[in-house]
């Protein structure tokens, strides 16, 4: 059998080189973007801010409640012994910044709360404090009476992304207003940012 020589046109050859070069450049850009989105890797436990470590909550007695870990998700709960208020924080560690970016939208607790409480019981609130989180939002969730985003609310939620981590803080206290919750979150945010910067 005789071999058949295949001749590749110069246009096809340059097209293949261009596609290969673009693929390599795109992969490098994606890797750099992912790295910048991901930020430093820290032990999940270091990212928890207990209520006793928040200046606005430190005067109360807190009891650690049930905790759980499931894959990359870790949840810690505390209860105020005097008021029975509940403070909960969850941290999800993602393998990449893209994973955290996706999770920030797809796993937003507000989605489930809208199903549970309806649009009357879930109200977004403006975030009027400066935070170091890459992405953040707060909202009020309560069944009865209807939520008021600017006024008192029995349950506030802070949903955020810090690099490769998505973090939720939920605080249930009767008649807690948006301003006080934002001040609490500002202190939580500062502690998380300090941990991530070390």
């Amino acid at each position: 059998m005789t071999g058949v020589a295949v001749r590749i046109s110069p246009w096809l050859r340059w097209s293949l080189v261009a596609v290969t070069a673009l693929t390599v450049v795109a992969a490098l850009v994606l890797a750099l973007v992912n790295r910048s989105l991901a930020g430093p890797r820290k032990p999940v436990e270091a990212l928890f801010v207990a209520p006793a470590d928040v200046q606005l909550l430190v005067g109360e007695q807190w009891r650690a409640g049930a905790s759980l870990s499931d894959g990359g998700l870790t949840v810690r709960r505390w209860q105020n012994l005097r008021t029975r208020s509940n403070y909960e924080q969850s941290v999800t560690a993602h393998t990449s910044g893209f994973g955290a970016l996706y999770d920030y939208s797809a796993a937003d607790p507000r989605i489930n709360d809208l199903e549970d409480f309806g649009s009357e019981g879930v109200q977004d609130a403006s975030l009027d404090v400066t935070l170091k989180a890459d992405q953040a939002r707060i909202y009020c969730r309560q069944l009865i009476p209807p939520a008021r985003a600017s006024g008192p609310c029995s349950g506030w939620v802070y949903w955020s992304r810090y690099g490769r981590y998505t973090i939720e803080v939920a605080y249930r206290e009767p008649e807690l207003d948006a301003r006080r919750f934002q001040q609490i979150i500002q202190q939580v945010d500062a502690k998380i940012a300090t941990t991530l910067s070390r």
Side-chain angles (χ1 to χ4, degrees):
M1 252 182 107
T2 60
V4 177
V6 177
R7 192 160 180 234
I8 299 176
S9 73
W11 179 87
L12 183 58
R13 186 177 322 132
W14 283 111
S15 295
L16 289 172
V17 168
V19 167
T20 303
L22 284 173
T23 303
V24 169
V25 169
L28 288 172
V29 167
L30 284 174
L32 288 172
V33 169
N34 183 48
R35 187 172 180 191
S36 69
L37 283 173
R41 187 181 300 273
K42 296 288 180 181
V44 168
E45 290 300 322
L47 299 174
F48 280 93
V49 181
D53 296 328
V54 176
Q55 186 179 2
L56 289 171
L57 302 176
V58 76
E60 300 287 341
Q61 276 192 304
W62 295 90
R63 177 180 64 213
S67 298
L68 67 90
S69 291
D70 182 17
L73 170 70
T74 305
V75 181
R76 300 280 178 263
R77 296 182 177 99
W78 294 265
Q79 185 177 55
N80 184 316
L81 295 177
R82 182 179 63 81
T83 65
R84 301 292 182 214
S85 300
N86 293 304
Y87 175 99
E88 176 181 298
Q89 183 182 352
S90 69
V91 177
T92 304
H94 301 275
T95 56
S96 72
F98 285 127
L101 194 61
Y102 172 78
D103 194 55
Y104 180 78
S105 296
D108 185 341
R110 188 176 181 281
I111 297 167
N112 290 333
D113 287 340
L114 279 168
E115 290 178 11
D116 294 341
F117 297 99
S119 60
E120 290 278 314
V122 176
Q123 296 291 318
D124 289 321
S126 60
L127 205 45
D128 299 325
V129 292
T130 303
L131 301 175
K132 299 209 182 322
D134 296 310
Q135 294 175 280
R137 74 177 323 163
I138 65 167
Y139 66 93
C140 169
R141 70 172 168 207
Q142 62 187 24
L143 190 54
I144 299 172
R148 289 169 289 163
S150 59
C153 174
S154 63
W156 286 97
V157 177
Y158 170 64
W159 177 238
S160 59
R161 182 184 68 82
Y162 295 81
R164 67 176 70 241
Y165 303 96
T166 48
I167 296 177
E168 177 186 358
V169 174
Y171 187 42
R172 195 174 78 231
E173 177 185 287
E175 299 299 302
L176 178 65
D177 66 30
R179 184 69 189 142
R180 180 168 163 80
F181 182 67
Q182 288 185 55
Q183 290 169 343
I184 290 167
I185 289 310
Q186 196 170 30
Q187 294 176 10
V188 170
D189 170 79
K191 289 185 179 298
I192 292 170
T194 298
T195 299
L196 288 171
S197 68
R198 291 182 189 150

